[in-house]
Amino acid sequence: MRRKLILDVDTGTDDAVAVMLAALHPALELLACTTVNGNIPVEYCTENTLRVLDHIGRGDIPVYEGLAHPIARLDFPVPRRQSDHAGKYHPDILPVPPTKRRKQDASAVEFLVETYRKATDPIVLVAVAPLSNLAAAIALDAKFAARVPELVVMGGGHALGNVTPSAEFNIWGDPEAAAMVFAAGFPKVTLLPLDATHRAPITREHCAAMDALGTPAGQAAAAFIGHRIVVHDQHQRQPVPHSTPVHDALAVGFLVQPSLISTQRVHVAVETQGPLTVGRTVIDLLGRGSGVPNCDVAMDADAAGFAELLLRTFAAKA
Ligand code: RIB
Ligand code: CA
Protein backbone atom coordinates (compact mmCIF):
# COMPACT_ATOMS: atom_id res chain seq x y z
CA MET A 1 0.00 0.00 0.00
CA ARG A 2 1.28 3.46 -0.86
CA ARG A 3 2.16 5.71 2.10
CA LYS A 4 -0.27 8.59 2.42
CA LEU A 5 1.22 12.01 3.07
CA ILE A 6 0.40 15.70 3.28
CA LEU A 7 3.16 18.17 2.37
CA ASP A 8 3.30 21.60 4.05
CA VAL A 9 5.33 23.91 1.80
CA ASP A 10 6.48 27.46 1.06
CA THR A 11 7.15 26.73 -2.62
CA GLY A 12 10.18 27.76 -3.28
CA THR A 13 12.59 25.99 -5.57
CA ASP A 14 13.48 23.08 -3.30
CA ASP A 15 9.87 22.73 -2.11
CA ALA A 16 8.92 22.33 -5.77
CA VAL A 17 11.28 19.38 -6.14
CA ALA A 18 9.81 17.87 -2.95
CA VAL A 19 6.29 18.30 -4.35
CA MET A 20 7.23 16.53 -7.59
CA LEU A 21 8.97 13.68 -5.75
CA ALA A 22 5.96 13.20 -3.47
CA ALA A 23 3.49 13.38 -6.35
CA LEU A 24 5.35 11.03 -8.68
CA HIS A 25 6.98 8.37 -6.50
CA PRO A 26 5.04 5.09 -6.79
CA ALA A 27 5.37 4.31 -3.08
CA LEU A 28 3.70 7.57 -2.04
CA GLU A 29 0.14 8.94 -2.20
CA LEU A 30 0.29 12.74 -1.91
CA LEU A 31 -3.17 13.62 -0.57
CA ALA A 32 -2.72 17.39 -0.62
CA CYS A 33 -0.31 20.26 -0.25
CA THR A 34 -0.78 23.00 2.32
CA THR A 35 0.99 26.31 1.84
CA VAL A 36 2.36 28.81 4.32
CA ASN A 37 4.18 32.11 4.34
CA GLY A 38 7.93 31.59 4.19
CA ASN A 39 10.34 31.88 1.30
CA ILE A 40 7.87 34.18 -0.39
CA PRO A 41 4.38 35.46 0.54
CA VAL A 42 1.86 32.64 0.86
CA GLU A 43 -0.19 33.55 -2.20
CA TYR A 44 2.88 33.00 -4.38
CA CYS A 45 3.59 29.70 -2.58
CA THR A 46 0.06 28.61 -3.46
CA GLU A 47 0.33 29.65 -7.11
CA ASN A 48 3.70 27.92 -7.47
CA THR A 49 2.46 24.72 -5.85
CA LEU A 50 -0.57 24.61 -8.16
CA ARG A 51 1.66 25.31 -11.17
CA VAL A 52 4.14 22.55 -10.32
CA LEU A 53 1.41 19.94 -9.75
CA ASP A 54 -0.32 20.89 -13.01
CA HIS A 55 3.00 20.83 -14.85
CA ILE A 56 3.67 17.18 -13.96
CA GLY A 57 0.12 16.05 -14.68
CA ARG A 58 -1.01 15.90 -11.05
CA GLY A 59 -3.63 18.63 -11.16
CA ASP A 60 -5.83 16.21 -9.21
CA ILE A 61 -3.93 16.98 -5.98
CA PRO A 62 -5.60 19.82 -4.02
CA VAL A 63 -3.77 22.78 -2.53
CA TYR A 64 -4.94 24.50 0.66
CA GLU A 65 -3.58 27.91 1.56
CA GLY A 66 -2.46 28.58 5.14
CA LEU A 67 -1.08 31.34 7.29
CA ALA A 68 0.22 34.52 5.72
CA HIS A 69 2.37 35.34 8.75
CA PRO A 70 4.02 33.78 11.82
CA ILE A 71 1.70 32.89 14.70
CA ALA A 72 3.14 35.43 17.12
CA ARG A 73 5.61 37.81 15.49
CA LEU A 74 3.38 39.72 13.14
CA ASP A 75 6.14 42.26 12.58
CA PHE A 76 8.80 39.63 11.88
CA PRO A 77 10.73 40.33 8.65
CA VAL A 78 9.01 37.32 7.24
CA PRO A 79 9.46 37.09 3.49
CA ARG A 80 12.91 35.63 3.21
CA ARG A 81 13.92 38.33 0.75
CA GLN A 82 14.40 40.63 3.76
CA SER A 83 17.20 38.51 5.15
CA ASP A 84 20.34 37.30 3.38
CA HIS A 85 20.47 36.36 -0.30
CA ALA A 86 17.63 33.95 0.28
CA GLY A 87 15.19 35.96 -1.78
CA LYS A 88 17.34 35.10 -4.77
CA TYR A 89 16.91 31.33 -4.27
CA HIS A 90 13.12 31.52 -4.56
CA PRO A 91 11.52 33.63 -7.31
CA ASP A 92 7.96 34.80 -6.61
CA ILE A 93 6.78 32.81 -9.63
CA LEU A 94 8.44 29.56 -10.75
CA PRO A 95 9.22 29.14 -14.46
CA VAL A 96 6.39 26.72 -15.26
CA PRO A 97 3.07 27.59 -16.97
CA PRO A 98 0.32 29.31 -14.97
CA THR A 99 -2.17 27.07 -13.21
CA LYS A 100 -5.63 26.51 -14.67
CA ARG A 101 -7.24 25.88 -11.29
CA ARG A 102 -7.75 27.46 -7.88
CA LYS A 103 -6.73 26.67 -4.35
CA GLN A 104 -9.34 24.95 -2.17
CA ASP A 105 -11.83 27.11 -0.28
CA ALA A 106 -10.98 25.67 3.14
CA SER A 107 -7.85 27.01 4.82
CA ALA A 108 -4.82 24.77 5.31
CA VAL A 109 -5.33 24.74 9.06
CA GLU A 110 -8.99 23.69 8.82
CA PHE A 111 -7.99 21.02 6.31
CA LEU A 112 -5.22 19.64 8.54
CA VAL A 113 -7.40 19.53 11.66
CA GLU A 114 -10.39 17.94 9.89
CA THR A 115 -8.32 15.45 7.90
CA TYR A 116 -6.53 14.09 10.95
CA ARG A 117 -9.73 14.15 13.02
CA LYS A 118 -11.40 11.86 10.43
CA ALA A 119 -8.39 9.81 9.28
CA THR A 120 -8.75 6.03 9.34
CA ASP A 121 -5.42 5.30 7.61
CA PRO A 122 -2.03 6.64 8.76
CA ILE A 123 -1.08 9.90 7.04
CA VAL A 124 2.48 11.21 7.35
CA LEU A 125 2.77 14.98 7.69
CA VAL A 126 5.89 16.39 6.01
CA ALA A 127 6.65 20.03 6.89
CA VAL A 128 9.31 21.80 4.85
CA ALA A 129 8.50 25.43 5.67
CA PRO A 130 7.95 27.60 8.74
CA LEU A 131 5.69 25.64 11.10
CA SER A 132 2.95 28.26 11.43
CA ASN A 133 0.17 26.02 10.01
CA LEU A 134 1.08 23.17 12.36
CA ALA A 135 1.15 25.45 15.39
CA ALA A 136 -2.24 26.89 14.45
CA ALA A 137 -3.63 23.35 14.11
CA ILE A 138 -2.26 22.49 17.57
CA ALA A 139 -3.94 25.63 18.95
CA LEU A 140 -7.23 24.75 17.23
CA ASP A 141 -7.32 21.06 18.20
CA ALA A 142 -5.61 19.99 21.44
CA LYS A 143 -5.51 16.41 20.09
CA PHE A 144 -3.93 17.34 16.74
CA ALA A 145 -0.38 16.22 17.61
CA ALA A 146 -1.60 12.90 18.98
CA ARG A 147 -3.59 12.34 15.77
CA VAL A 148 -0.55 12.70 13.48
CA PRO A 149 1.17 9.28 13.49
CA GLU A 150 4.39 10.57 11.93
CA LEU A 151 5.82 14.05 11.41
CA VAL A 152 8.86 14.75 9.23
CA VAL A 153 10.35 18.25 9.44
CA MET A 154 13.03 19.82 7.27
CA GLY A 155 14.46 22.54 9.45
CA GLY A 156 16.96 23.60 12.04
CA GLY A 157 20.67 23.15 12.26
CA HIS A 158 23.33 22.15 14.77
CA ALA A 159 26.65 23.13 13.24
CA LEU A 160 25.01 25.20 10.50
CA GLY A 161 22.74 28.20 10.22
CA ASN A 162 21.68 29.79 6.95
CA VAL A 163 19.48 32.78 7.65
CA THR A 164 21.57 33.80 10.67
CA PRO A 165 24.81 32.34 12.06
CA SER A 166 22.74 30.34 14.56
CA ALA A 167 19.40 29.66 12.87
CA GLU A 168 17.96 27.91 9.83
CA PHE A 169 15.21 29.62 7.87
CA ASN A 170 12.17 27.36 8.50
CA ILE A 171 12.61 27.54 12.26
CA TRP A 172 13.69 31.20 12.25
CA GLY A 173 10.68 32.11 10.11
CA ASP A 174 8.31 31.29 13.00
CA PRO A 175 10.24 30.45 16.19
CA GLU A 176 7.19 30.29 18.46
CA ALA A 177 5.46 27.89 16.08
CA ALA A 178 8.52 25.64 15.98
CA ALA A 179 8.82 25.70 19.77
CA MET A 180 5.17 24.60 20.02
CA VAL A 181 5.65 21.80 17.50
CA PHE A 182 8.70 20.29 19.20
CA ALA A 183 6.97 20.49 22.59
CA ALA A 184 3.60 19.18 21.37
CA GLY A 185 4.27 15.47 21.84
CA PHE A 186 3.92 14.23 18.25
CA PRO A 187 4.37 10.44 18.59
CA LYS A 188 7.07 10.13 15.92
CA VAL A 189 9.16 13.08 14.74
CA THR A 190 12.08 12.98 12.30
CA LEU A 191 14.05 16.18 11.82
CA LEU A 192 16.30 16.78 8.81
CA PRO A 193 18.42 19.83 9.70
CA LEU A 194 20.96 21.57 7.49
CA ASP A 195 23.62 19.24 8.88
CA ALA A 196 21.98 16.45 6.88
CA THR A 197 20.68 18.29 3.83
CA HIS A 198 24.10 19.79 3.10
CA ARG A 199 25.53 16.25 3.03
CA ALA A 200 23.42 15.47 -0.05
CA PRO A 201 24.32 18.14 -2.60
CA ILE A 202 22.90 17.95 -6.12
CA THR A 203 25.34 19.04 -8.80
CA ARG A 204 25.23 20.71 -12.17
CA GLU A 205 25.92 17.29 -13.73
CA HIS A 206 22.90 15.82 -11.96
CA CYS A 207 20.83 18.69 -13.36
CA ALA A 208 22.04 17.93 -16.88
CA ALA A 209 21.01 14.30 -16.40
CA MET A 210 17.56 15.35 -15.11
CA ASP A 211 17.09 17.67 -18.07
CA ALA A 212 18.10 14.90 -20.46
CA LEU A 213 15.26 12.75 -19.10
CA GLY A 214 12.97 14.89 -21.26
CA THR A 215 10.09 14.56 -18.80
CA PRO A 216 8.21 17.56 -17.35
CA ALA A 217 9.50 16.72 -13.86
CA GLY A 218 13.06 16.13 -14.99
CA GLN A 219 13.26 19.37 -16.93
CA ALA A 220 11.53 21.40 -14.20
CA ALA A 221 13.77 19.95 -11.50
CA ALA A 222 16.83 20.77 -13.61
CA ALA A 223 15.61 24.38 -13.93
CA PHE A 224 14.72 24.80 -10.25
CA ILE A 225 17.91 23.18 -8.94
CA GLY A 226 20.05 24.83 -11.61
CA HIS A 227 18.78 28.20 -10.42
CA ARG A 228 19.80 27.34 -6.86
CA ILE A 229 23.29 26.36 -8.01
CA VAL A 230 23.79 29.70 -9.77
CA VAL A 231 22.81 31.60 -6.62
CA HIS A 232 24.98 29.41 -4.41
CA ASP A 233 27.95 29.92 -6.75
CA GLN A 234 27.46 33.68 -6.53
CA HIS A 235 26.60 34.11 -2.84
CA GLN A 236 27.11 30.96 -0.75
CA ARG A 237 29.62 28.75 -2.54
CA GLN A 238 29.33 25.09 -1.54
CA PRO A 239 32.18 22.64 -0.76
CA VAL A 240 31.17 20.60 -3.83
CA PRO A 241 31.66 22.96 -6.78
CA HIS A 242 28.51 24.00 -8.66
CA SER A 243 26.11 22.23 -6.32
CA THR A 244 23.24 22.95 -3.95
CA PRO A 245 21.38 21.18 -1.19
CA VAL A 246 17.77 20.41 -2.15
CA HIS A 247 16.66 20.49 1.45
CA ASP A 248 12.94 19.76 1.20
CA ALA A 249 13.17 16.92 -1.32
CA LEU A 250 15.46 14.99 1.04
CA ALA A 251 12.67 15.02 3.65
CA VAL A 252 10.37 13.31 1.14
CA GLY A 253 13.16 11.02 -0.07
CA PHE A 254 13.58 9.78 3.51
CA LEU A 255 9.99 8.49 3.43
CA VAL A 256 10.61 6.16 0.48
CA GLN A 257 14.23 5.36 1.31
CA PRO A 258 14.93 5.71 5.08
CA SER A 259 18.54 4.67 4.46
CA LEU A 260 19.15 8.05 2.82
CA ILE A 261 19.76 9.50 6.28
CA SER A 262 21.23 8.32 9.57
CA THR A 263 19.55 9.60 12.74
CA GLN A 264 20.10 9.92 16.48
CA ARG A 265 17.26 10.09 19.02
CA VAL A 266 17.79 13.26 21.06
CA HIS A 267 15.96 16.17 22.64
CA VAL A 268 15.26 19.17 20.43
CA ALA A 269 13.94 22.53 21.58
CA VAL A 270 13.77 25.97 19.93
CA GLU A 271 15.16 29.27 21.21
CA THR A 272 12.61 32.07 20.94
CA GLN A 273 14.29 34.84 22.94
CA GLY A 274 18.00 35.55 22.35
CA PRO A 275 18.66 38.35 19.85
CA LEU A 276 21.60 36.37 18.49
CA THR A 277 20.01 32.92 18.75
CA VAL A 278 16.30 33.34 18.07
CA GLY A 279 15.10 30.47 15.90
CA ARG A 280 17.96 28.14 16.84
CA THR A 281 17.20 24.45 17.24
CA VAL A 282 18.95 23.34 20.40
CA ILE A 283 19.81 19.74 19.48
CA ASP A 284 21.08 17.95 22.59
CA LEU A 285 23.41 15.48 20.85
CA LEU A 286 25.37 14.72 24.03
CA GLY A 287 22.39 14.49 26.38
CA ARG A 288 23.59 17.41 28.49
CA GLY A 289 20.11 18.78 29.15
CA SER A 290 17.15 17.48 31.11
CA GLY A 291 14.86 17.19 28.12
CA VAL A 292 13.50 13.75 27.26
CA PRO A 293 14.51 12.77 23.69
CA ASN A 294 11.63 13.77 21.44
CA CYS A 295 13.01 13.51 17.93
CA ASP A 296 15.09 11.43 15.54
CA VAL A 297 17.59 13.89 14.11
CA ALA A 298 19.51 13.24 10.90
CA MET A 299 23.11 14.40 10.95
CA ASP A 300 24.25 12.69 7.75
CA ALA A 301 22.81 11.78 4.34
CA ASP A 302 23.59 9.60 1.31
CA ALA A 303 24.27 12.05 -1.54
CA ALA A 304 24.57 9.44 -4.30
CA GLY A 305 21.43 7.64 -3.20
CA PHE A 306 19.49 10.90 -3.08
CA ALA A 307 20.54 11.96 -6.59
CA GLU A 308 19.73 8.51 -7.93
CA LEU A 309 16.27 8.59 -6.32
CA LEU A 310 15.45 11.92 -7.97
CA LEU A 311 16.67 10.76 -11.37
CA ARG A 312 14.78 7.46 -11.15
CA THR A 313 11.55 9.10 -10.04
CA PHE A 314 11.63 11.96 -12.54
CA ALA A 315 12.33 9.61 -15.44
CA ALA A 316 8.77 8.28 -15.21
CA LYS A 317 5.84 10.11 -16.78
CA ALA A 318 2.85 10.84 -14.49
O1 RIB B 1 16.66 26.34 5.16
C1 RIB B 1 16.11 25.60 4.12
C2 RIB B 1 14.63 25.78 4.09
O2 RIB B 1 14.34 27.17 3.91
C3 RIB B 1 13.95 25.06 2.91
O3 RIB B 1 12.69 24.59 3.29
C4 RIB B 1 13.80 26.15 1.88
O4 RIB B 1 12.66 25.96 1.03
C5 RIB B 1 13.58 27.36 2.73
O5 RIB B 1 12.22 27.40 3.08
CA1 CA C 1 10.70 25.18 2.06
Side-chain angles (χ1 to χ4, degrees):
M1 188 167 113
R2 295 190 298 163
R3 293 190 75 181
K4 292 181 169 61
L5 77 147
I6 293 170
L7 195 50
D8 191 69
V9 293
D10 58 339
T11 311
T13 47
D14 59 327
D15 306 71
V17 181
V19 167
M20 295 193 293
L21 182 58
L24 294 175
H25 196 284
L28 297 176
E29 181 181 354
L30 179 58
L31 298 180
C33 289
T34 52
T35 62
V36 68
N37 171 72
N39 289 317
I40 50 182
V42 68
E43 58 271 23
Y44 292 120
C45 300
T46 303
E47 169 70 18
N48 285 330
T49 306
L50 288 163
R51 283 183 177 227
V52 168
L53 288 167
D54 289 359
H55 181 66
I56 61 171
R58 292 307 315 269
D60 57 301
I61 298 174
V63 178
Y64 295 82
E65 187 166 288
L67 270 61
H69 52 76
I71 57 161
R73 296 170 187 247
L74 301 186
D75 60 339
F76 214 61
V78 185
R80 185 163 180 167
R81 72 191 72 222
Q82 297 175 19
S83 64
D84 58 6
H85 307 292
K88 301 178 178 68
Y89 288 104
H90 305 286
D92 281 352
I93 295 295
L94 289 174
V96 284
T99 181
K100 302 179 182 66
R101 57 194 178 111
R102 296 184 69 261
K103 67 184 179 184
Q104 300 300 299
D105 292 337
S107 75
V109 179
E110 293 164 309
F111 167 74
L112 288 170
V113 168
E114 281 313 302
T115 300
Y116 281 100
R117 201 197 301 271
K118 291 183 282 194
T120 51
D121 292 333
I123 304 172
V124 185
L125 181 54
V126 182
V128 295
L131 297 169
S132 315
N133 286 341
L134 277 69
I138 291 166
L140 199 58
D141 173 8
K143 295 182 179 165
F144 179 74
R147 290 181 165 134
V148 178
E150 182 171 0
L151 172 64
V152 181
V153 175
M154 188 281 133
H158 185 67
L160 302 174
N162 58 8
V163 70
T164 75
S166 56
E168 176 278 332
F169 176 77
N170 286 343
I171 308 300
W172 175 88
D174 195 339
E176 286 74 16
M180 281 176 67
V181 167
F182 284 101
F186 285 88
K188 179 173 172 41
V189 182
T190 303
L191 176 67
L192 289 89
L194 297 176
D195 308 83
T197 62
H198 278 265
R199 299 287 182 90
I202 298 297
T203 67
R204 201 159 55 180
E205 292 70 25
H206 292 139
C207 287
M210 285 180 209
D211 195 45
L213 294 172
T215 59
Q219 291 175 332
F224 302 153
I225 299 171
H227 171 81
R228 295 178 59 81
I229 292 172
V230 168
V231 178
H232 265 297
D233 282 353
Q234 288 169 351
H235 299 288
Q236 296 176 326
R237 198 176 293 271
Q238 295 299 293
V240 174
H242 313 307
S243 75
T244 178
V246 188
H247 310 281
D248 299 343
L250 186 63
V252 175
F254 155 70
L255 280 188
V256 294
Q257 208 168 313
S259 63
L260 282 182
I261 61 172
S262 46
T263 61
Q264 304 172 50
R265 185 151 188 79
V266 294
H267 182 262
V268 176
V270 175
E271 175 59 65
T272 60
Q273 302 300 321
L276 296 177
T277 55
V278 62
R280 178 167 181 76
T281 45
V282 180
I283 302 174
D284 191 1
L285 292 178
L286 300 180
R288 289 292 182 273
S290 58
V292 175
N294 57 353
C295 189
D296 296 313
V297 180
M299 297 300 283
D300 200 355
D302 170 5
F306 179 47
E308 199 275 329
L309 173 65
L310 294 180
L311 282 162
R312 188 173 68 242
T313 308
F314 295 160
K317 297 206 186 309

